[in-house]
Amino acid sequence: MTMEILTGNELTSGATVYLDGQGNWIEDLQAARLFSKEDKAELDSAIVATKGTGRVISLEAEEVEQVEGRIVPKRLRERIRAAGPTAPLTLNGQAYDRQHLGEDGHVSI
């Protein structure tokens, strides 16, 4: 059965984020809320509410499927966004990690 998730990019860090079942934006695809076709009104409401905050941009509903209990985006682009960059993350020979959402949902810059 095809389901959808709501995804976007956190404005200050650019991190790929997903809406969870409690209305929080998180970085873990596997904790994303799944929307069925019957949940279309709730999905649309979440998009409108999120746009009002200005905190998450490039909102998209993405089709996913569950494979062996895991959420798997149907589009390659979304699978890459979920897994991270395909190139090594190094700077001057040192591995670095991008900023992540803090416990309060904000990223210090």
Side-chain angles (χ1 to χ4, degrees):
M1 172 193 311
T2 298
M3 306 284 282
E4 288 184 316
I5 59 170
L6 185 57
T7 184
N9 291 91
E10 205 275 333
L11 181 62
T12 57
S13 70
T16 300
V17 291
Y18 307 94
L19 185 68
D20 73 5
Q22 288 74 47
N24 300 308
W25 286 95
I26 57 171
E27 295 183 40
D28 182 7
L29 170 64
Q30 298 308 313
R33 177 181 174 176
L34 296 172
F35 292 90
S36 68
K37 287 184 178 181
E38 292 76 27
D39 299 328
K40 178 72 173 147
E42 292 179 46
L43 177 64
D44 291 342
S45 293
I47 290 171
V48 170
T50 300
K51 284 183 177 177
T53 69
R55 185 172 162 245
V56 177
I57 59 172
S58 303
L59 292 169
E60 293 185 35
E62 285 294 328
E63 288 189 358
V64 296
E65 56 191 357
Q66 288 191 289
V67 178
E68 298 178 0
R70 296 192 52 83
I71 298 171
V72 178
K74 287 192 161 188
R75 291 193 318 159
L76 175 60
R77 173 184 176 264
E78 287 307 311
R79 291 194 296 272
I80 291 171
R81 286 181 74 231
T86 56
L89 294 174
T90 59
L91 180 64
N92 297 327
Q94 300 245 335
Y96 71 93
D97 197 9
R98 65 172 170 73
Q99 290 182 310
H100 293 272
L101 295 174
E103 288 184 19
D104 64 355
H106 295 280
V107 176
S108 60
I109 54 174

